């Protein structure tokens, strides 16, 4: 029998801790996995104690997932190289801004036959335009990388409320193994092969959610928000078709949890919507609101809109994506938020 596979979770925020709970329980129950799950925790002091020490003694991430016990076999490790060194499966779940630096520090210590799975929702800007986070991990570490994206608000997952998610994976055996590690009766996984489309959905829906938050802040109601969601989905599909050139982009993938379901939940819940609503109402900057409202978590939507804007500008396609463009202009160029509705009225879909 093959040696049990060692798992490391790279990251320990709200979503990282929720996933650690699932992975820890499954690893303890299944012979295929090593019982100990290591979790890299960025060390910080909470009420005079080290966060790693709190997690390892009280089995709770009191800063990012308070009120939820982590399984005792999830061990917090403050040094990322130490956490990842023997891992067969690496689960990446940190803000996308930090992935490049993190992979640079890991590249000499990760097993060459390890497999990665990215739960990171965002895109980066490469010299050719769009760069997927999974591609950065793949290039820097030289390992196979899949993605997991879906309508998965971390606290609800931690509360074991029923939800679905999507794994995008080009290698069938990896998909089956990762599904076994992560699926539970209340966290149902579908595996699809269009991994790049799955990942693009996870990044772009945050931009649409910022638009939904603007609508809420301006008091426009559910009909308007439904229009934002639909137009946003159309722009997501168009963007995926432009940039996923390696394989087909089927509409079916957008009907998975990573597509329409994640878009809906993020436009009604989620931090991007919440901060964008406050932005509409208070006139404070996105940076100020992020500090005030998010307890150290990072906002992905505005930054993703900036990366998307640069990519579209590079290809002279900004005008074909008026919703994405309006979010960018309002967040970064001082366009008045009340003009957001104009972009919907004059959307090319209505011409």
């Amino acid at each position: 029998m093959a040696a049990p596979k060692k798992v490391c979770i790279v990251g320990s925020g709200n979503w990282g801790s929720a996933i650690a709970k699932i992975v820890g329980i499954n690893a303890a129950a299944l012979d295929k996995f090593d019982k100990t799950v290591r979790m890299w925790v960025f060390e910080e002091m909470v009420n005079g104690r080290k966060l790693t020490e709190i997690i390892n003694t009280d089995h709770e991430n009191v800063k990012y997932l308070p009120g939820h016990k982590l399984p005792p076999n999830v061990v917090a490790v403050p040094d990322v190289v130490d956490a990842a060194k023997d891992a067969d499966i690496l689960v990446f779940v940190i803000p996308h801004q930090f992935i490049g630096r993190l992979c640079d520090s890991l590249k000499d210590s990760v097993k060459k036959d390890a497999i990665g799975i990215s739960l990171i929702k965002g895109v980066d800007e490469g010299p050719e335009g769009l760069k997927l986070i999974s591609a950065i991990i793949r290039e820097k570490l030289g390992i196979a990388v899949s993605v997991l994206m879906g309508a998965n608000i971390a606290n609800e997952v931690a509360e074991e409320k029923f939800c679905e998610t999507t794994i995008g994976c080009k290698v069938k055996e990896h998909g089956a193994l990762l599904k076994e590690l992560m699926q539970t009766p209340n966290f149902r996984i579908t595996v699809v092969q269009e991994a790049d489309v799955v990942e693009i959905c996870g990044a772009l829906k945050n931009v649409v959610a910022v638009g939904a938050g603007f609508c809420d802040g301006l008091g426009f109601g559910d009909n308007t928000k439904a229009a934002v969601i639909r137009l946003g989905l159309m722009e997501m599909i168009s963007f995926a078709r432009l940039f996923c050139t390696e394989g087909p982009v089927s509409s079916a993938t957008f009907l998975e949890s990573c597509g329409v379901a994640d878009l809906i939940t993020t436009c009604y819940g989620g931090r991007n919507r919440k901060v964008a609503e406050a932005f509409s109402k208070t006139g404070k900057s996105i940076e100020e609101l992020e500090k005030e409202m998010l307890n150290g978590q990072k906002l992905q939507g505005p930054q993703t809109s900036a990366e998307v804007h640069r990519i579209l500008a590079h290809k002279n396609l900004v005008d074909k994506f008026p919703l994405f463009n309006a979010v960018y202009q309002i967040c970064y160029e001082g366009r008045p938020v009340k003009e957001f509705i104009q972009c919907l009225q004059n959307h090319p879909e209505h011409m």
Side-chain angles (χ1 to χ4, degrees):
M1 188 172 143
K5 298 198 175 296
K6 295 186 172 169
V7 182
C8 170
I9 295 169
V10 183
S12 57
N14 187 234
W15 187 210
S17 299
I19 278 297
K21 185 178 168 185
I22 288 176
V23 168
I25 290 168
N26 283 355
L30 299 168
D31 293 340
K32 197 171 276 188
F33 304 103
D34 191 273
K35 301 289 179 247
T36 302
V37 173
R38 295 160 83 86
M39 176 168 77
W40 172 60
V41 174
F42 178 77
E43 191 68 279
E44 48 191 314
M45 300 301 285
V46 180
N47 301 328
R49 294 170 72 196
K50 288 180 173 169
L51 186 53
T52 50
E53 182 200 312
I54 296 171
I55 292 169
N56 289 336
T57 46
D58 304 349
H59 306 297
E60 185 183 344
N61 187 336
V62 291
K63 178 153 187 190
Y64 296 110
L65 194 66
H68 294 283
K69 286 290 180 199
L70 295 174
N73 60 319
V74 173
V75 177
V77 180
D79 179 279
V80 71
V81 173
D82 193 24
K85 66 171 182 270
D86 299 320
D88 301 294
I89 299 173
L90 293 156
V91 181
F92 293 92
V93 53
I94 60 170
H96 80 285
Q97 305 83 308
F98 305 132
I99 195 67
R101 283 205 310 269
L102 184 104
C103 287
D104 287 339
S105 59
L106 281 179
K107 62 175 183 274
D108 299 325
S109 53
V110 164
K111 284 170 120 170
K112 285 297 152 237
D113 61 349
I115 63 174
I117 181 163
S118 170
L119 280 59
I120 299 169
K121 292 179 175 175
V123 288
D124 204 7
E125 190 195 11
E128 303 301 305
L130 181 82
K131 186 93 172 169
L132 295 173
I133 301 302
S134 62
I136 296 172
I137 301 170
R138 197 175 294 121
E139 284 166 23
K140 287 188 180 278
L141 300 184
I143 62 172
V145 185
S146 303
V147 297
L148 180 147
M149 306 278 151
N152 309 140
I153 289 174
N155 288 39
E156 295 183 15
V157 173
E159 285 158 17
E160 298 178 32
K161 292 179 175 168
F162 178 83
C163 70
E164 301 175 316
T165 198
T166 312
I167 287 179
C169 183
K170 291 170 183 163
V171 183
K172 273 211 161 76
E173 308 76 74
H174 292 176
L177 179 69
L178 293 164
K179 180 171 179 169
E180 217 174 327
L181 177 65
M182 295 175 142
Q183 179 158 277
T184 73
N186 286 319
F187 190 67
R188 305 311 288 176
I189 295 173
T190 305
V191 181
V192 301
Q193 285 201 294
E194 288 180 14
D196 294 355
V197 179
V198 172
E199 189 167 2
I200 275 183
C201 284
L204 296 181
K205 55 98 199 190
N206 285 327
V207 181
V208 184
V210 173
F214 292 159
C215 282
D216 289 343
L218 295 164
F220 280 120
D222 284 339
N223 294 344
T224 309
K225 192 142 105 174
V228 169
I229 291 170
R230 190 191 76 81
L231 292 168
L233 181 63
M234 299 313 282
E235 291 193 15
M236 285 166 63
I237 293 171
S238 301
F239 191 93
R241 292 204 162 128
L242 269 176
F243 292 98
C244 296
T245 49
E246 281 176 28
V249 174
S250 62
S251 301
T253 302
F254 293 92
L255 297 177
E256 293 293 347
S257 184
C258 61
V260 68
D262 196 9
L263 181 61
I264 291 167
T265 197
T266 311
C267 287
Y268 278 89
R271 55 187 116 150
N272 289 282
R273 188 216 63 78
K274 190 166 84 172
V275 172
E277 179 181 22
F279 176 88
S280 298
K281 287 178 168 169
T282 63
K284 291 180 179 176
S285 74
I286 293 283
E287 292 74 23
E288 275 178 272
L289 292 165
E290 187 180 60
K291 283 201 184 77
E292 277 175 30
M293 297 171 71
L294 295 184
N295 185 30
Q297 291 176 284
K298 289 279 168 235
L299 206 60
Q300 310 290 162
Q303 189 165 349
T304 302
S305 80
E307 282 145 5
V308 164
H309 184 266
R310 280 194 290 272
I311 292 158
L312 291 172
H314 184 62
K315 294 192 183 272
N316 290 324
L317 290 170
V318 169
D319 296 345
K320 297 261 190 289
F321 295 84
L323 192 147
F324 288 175
N325 187 35
V327 169
Y328 166 73
Q329 288 178 329
I330 291 163
C331 288
Y332 292 101
E333 294 188 339
R335 185 175 180 182
V337 70
K338 61 180 182 296
E339 287 181 17
F340 181 62
I341 294 307
Q342 246 173 299
C343 92
L344 307 183
Q345 292 164 335
N346 302 326
H347 201 282
E349 283 245 329
H350 303 143
M351 297 306 172

